[in-house]
């Protein structure tokens, strides 16, 4: 077995269906406005990621700053289970710096990237296609002389000439790359196209399967397709996904880890037995840790971890939820570490939800009492955006307020 295939099979835990979760919250995620983190904050986040069960943590870009170097180095000394990676441009000084940053890790990776699209080669790097191929070979070879596990990313792969992309992938594998990542750097592709790109490259580069090279997705969310594209790549044989907590990252962000992991579980029927080591009930707690470190929380309607992901306001939905949660929830909140469903009272709520909430607060109302209280409630809800428990208690007639029981069940 070649060195490359040994690492590849170790990464997939011998299970060919295992999808490696490569978390880049601390690198691509951090590279976005409002998300920069101190070494201590990165370390806190790295502990949360380890607890979550990610396979690889991309801890930073060693050459970017002294702070990034220090954070990577600190993380390699504190985190034991996940492999620790540093990003590096295809340059000697970057690669040597990355190798120094990860030297204390039990298991390390250098992630080398170089653009493959003509747009980037001509306007950004100002080098020819053949120069880029030479740099790919030299840099991957150098990285492999320093660590066992080297990932190569042809940046802007999705807008690259397909024949040239195939050539660059071949060169990187010949030089010793053990993982080939094909980034949708600007979030341009549709799921059908992205899946097709993986199938085609795999078919045209036999060394991928022969050498056990892991194919990886890396998607940005400019068209809101990052998670869908990552899943399409998995269907097409990718066995690593690069993603971030809460989907933070450049511009519209990266593929959200929690969305991919939950989809693999909830729709296991669609993904041919793909497995992963993410502990789903750590998704929400990990999202919360990140929200406390950076300057913003996920938007309320964010899938899985947003404040409204398990909240229901409309009367029809609340009635259905009280009858059977499966009516309007495809997973339990507990599955992803959220403590409970939240029935939010507002102007769209019905009597069933009002009764339920009042009972939770310790007030049992007769039919007529409920009817009267409901009229008052709707009038109030038309005026107020948020209804609090104190508001509800405030609209109850005195005789009901005085007969309060102990709350009957856990409060929302
Ligand atoms: O989006 C991208 O292309 C990247 C590479 C460095 C992998 O983040
Ligand atoms: Zn990226």
């Amino acid at each position: 077995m070649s060195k490359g295939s040994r690492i590849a099979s170790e990464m997939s835990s011998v299970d060919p269906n295992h999808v490696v979760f490569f978390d880049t919250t601390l690198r691509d995620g951090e590279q976005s406005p409002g998300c920069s983190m101190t070494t201590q904050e990165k370390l806190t986040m790295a502990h949360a990621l380890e607890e979550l069960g990610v396979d690889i943590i991309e801890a930073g870009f060693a050459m970017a700053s002294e702070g990034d170097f220090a954070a990577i180095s600190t993380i390699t000394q504190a985190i034991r289970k996940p492999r620790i990676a540093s990003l590096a441009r295809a340059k000697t000084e970057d690669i040597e710096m990355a190798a120094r940053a990860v030297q204390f890790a039990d298991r390390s990776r250098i992630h080398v990237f170089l653009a493959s699209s003509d747009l980037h080669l001509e306007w950004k790097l100002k080098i020819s296609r053949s120069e880029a191929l030479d740099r790919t070979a030299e840099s991957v070879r150098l990285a492999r002389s320093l660590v066992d596990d080297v990932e190569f990313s042809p940046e802007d792969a999705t807008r690259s000439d397909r024949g040239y992309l195939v050539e660059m992938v071949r060169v990187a594998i010949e030089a010793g790359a053990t993982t080939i990542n094909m980034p949708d750097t600007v979030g341009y592709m549709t799921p059908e196209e992205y899946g097709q790109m993986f199938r085609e490259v795999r078919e045209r580069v036999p060394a991928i399967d022969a050498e056990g090279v892991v194919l990886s997705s890396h998607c940005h969310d400019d068209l809101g397709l990052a998670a869908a594209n990552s899943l399409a790549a998995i269907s097409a044989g990718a066995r690593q996904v690069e993603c971030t907590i809460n989907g933070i990252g450049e511009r519209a962000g990266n593929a959200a880890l929690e969305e991919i992991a939950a989809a693999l579980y909830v729709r296991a029927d669609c993904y041919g037995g793909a497995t992963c080591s993410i502990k789903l009930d750590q998704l929400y707690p990990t999202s919360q840790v990140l929200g406390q470190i950076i300057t913003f929380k996920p938007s309320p309607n964010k899938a899985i971890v947003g404040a409204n992901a398990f909240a229901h306001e409309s009367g029809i939905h609340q009635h259905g939820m009280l009858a059977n949660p499966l009516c309007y929830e495809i997973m339990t909140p507990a599955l992803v570490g959220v403590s409970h469903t939240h029935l939010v009272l507002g102007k769209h709520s019905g009597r069933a939800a009002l009764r339920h909430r009042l009972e939770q607060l310790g007030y049992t109302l007769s039919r007529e009492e409920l009817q009267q209280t409901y009229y008052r409630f709707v009038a109030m809800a038309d005026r107020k955006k948020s209804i609090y428990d104190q508001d509800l208690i405030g609209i109850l007639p005195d005789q009901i307020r005085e007969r309060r029981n102990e709350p009957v069940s856990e409060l929302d």
Side-chain angles (χ1 to χ4, degrees):
M1 189 188 266
S2 74
K3 211 170 188 185
S5 46
R6 189 157 46 72
I7 290 162
S9 62
E10 174 222 304
M11 289 313 301
S12 56
S13 308
V14 192
D15 173 0
N17 282 329
H18 181 84
V19 177
V20 169
F21 271 68
F22 175 112
D23 182 277
T24 184
T25 305
L26 302 181
R27 197 280 298 171
D28 221 353
E30 203 222 4
Q31 244 171 264
S32 57
C35 295
S36 83
M37 300 177 221
T38 63
T39 294
Q40 194 47 48
E41 288 168 338
K42 279 195 168 190
L43 186 58
T44 302
M45 201 56 218
H47 280 295
L49 292 169
E50 182 172 40
E51 191 57 33
L52 174 65
V54 305
D55 302 279
I56 305 181
I57 295 175
E58 186 167 48
F61 183 177
M63 191 68 183
S65 70
E66 278 178 24
D68 247 32
F69 182 94
I72 300 168
S73 180
T74 304
I75 288 170
T76 60
Q77 293 166 72
I79 300 293
R80 285 286 155 245
K81 278 189 248 155
R83 186 177 286 271
I84 309 297
S86 169
L87 185 68
R89 287 169 298 182
K91 291 178 172 220
T92 303
E93 59 273 29
D94 271 41
I95 293 166
E96 288 174 349
M97 186 71 93
R100 277 201 294 281
V102 296
Q103 67 184 314
F104 299 116
D106 281 351
R107 294 175 312 129
S108 60
R109 169 177 294 189
I110 297 180
H111 176 191
V112 180
F113 75 101
L114 182 65
S116 54
S117 69
D118 289 332
L119 193 66
H120 281 227
L121 292 179
E122 188 180 337
W123 290 93
K124 190 182 76 176
L125 299 175
K126 303 189 192 324
I127 58 172
S128 66
R129 284 187 178 188
S130 75
E131 280 174 284
L133 290 182
D134 289 346
R135 270 176 62 178
T136 301
E138 284 156 20
S139 57
V140 171
R141 226 176 279 124
L142 171 63
R144 260 313 282 271
S145 72
L146 299 168
V147 295
D148 266 3
D149 183 338
V150 173
E151 171 173 332
F152 179 74
S153 292
E155 191 192 10
D156 205 18
T158 53
R159 293 189 302 167
S160 302
D161 173 78
R162 192 59 52 84
Y164 181 67
L165 173 67
V166 163
E167 192 54 27
M168 199 178 236
V169 167
R170 250 191 225 124
V171 166
I173 293 173
E174 267 166 31
T178 47
T179 294
I180 294 290
N181 179 45
M182 294 195 279
D184 188 20
T185 304
V186 289
Y188 176 69
M189 271 198 168
T190 64
E192 293 73 21
E193 288 174 313
Y194 199 55
Q196 178 50 29
M197 183 179 82
F198 277 74
R199 282 189 200 93
E200 188 181 332
V201 171
R202 196 170 163 198
E203 213 173 277
R204 292 175 66 178
V205 186
I208 292 171
D209 285 335
E211 292 280 313
V213 171
V214 174
L215 286 184
S216 166
S217 73
H218 178 112
C219 300
H220 283 269
D221 211 26
D222 299 68
L223 292 175
L225 294 172
N229 283 346
S230 308
L231 291 163
I234 291 173
S235 294
R239 284 297 172 263
Q240 174 175 291
V241 280
E242 302 197 355
C243 42
T244 61
I245 301 299
N246 298 347
I248 66 166
E250 296 271 11
R251 306 177 309 281
N254 286 57
L257 182 150
E258 59 275 9
E259 294 174 13
I260 303 169
L264 284 182
Y265 180 83
V266 173
R267 297 309 312 272
D269 54 326
C270 297
Y271 296 104
T275 59
C276 69
S277 46
I278 296 298
K279 293 180 203 143
L280 295 177
D281 64 357
Q282 289 303 308
L283 289 175
Y284 183 68
T286 311
S287 160
Q288 292 289 103
V289 172
L290 181 65
Q292 278 153 19
I293 291 175
I294 61 173
T295 57
F296 57 91
K297 308 231 179 302
S299 66
N301 62 338
K302 168 81 184 63
I304 320 294
V305 295
N308 291 351
F310 296 95
H312 307 265
E313 189 193 299
S314 97
I316 296 168
H317 286 213
Q318 290 179 337
H319 185 225
M321 283 296 299
L322 290 169
N324 181 346
L326 285 176
C327 289
Y328 288 105
E329 280 180 355
I330 58 167
M331 65 194 111
T332 63
L335 178 77
V336 297
V338 174
S339 61
H340 53 271
T341 289
H342 197 48
L343 297 185
V344 181
L345 289 174
K347 68 174 180 179
H348 304 106
S349 305
R351 289 167 192 73
L354 179 63
R355 179 201 293 278
H356 177 74
R357 185 68 187 169
L358 286 170
E359 281 177 358
Q360 285 184 318
L361 292 169
Y363 302 99
T364 307
L365 276 62
S366 70
R367 219 179 144 80
E368 296 84 80
E369 286 169 341
L370 179 67
Q371 187 61 25
Q372 280 168 12
T373 310
Y374 183 68
Y375 288 137
R376 293 188 191 186
F377 162 73
V378 172
M380 175 173 67
D382 255 338
R383 296 190 313 269
K384 285 191 95 224
K385 286 206 191 309
S386 309
I387 308 282
Y388 300 101
D389 291 341
Q390 285 315 314
D391 297 323
L392 291 183
I393 295 167
I395 58 170
L396 291 175
D398 289 347
Q399 75 274 15
I400 299 178
R401 226 175 295 137
E402 280 155 16
R403 350 182 270 257
R404 181 171 185 270
N405 308 313
E406 276 308 299
V408 290
S409 61
E410 191 190 328
L411 295 181
D412 282 348

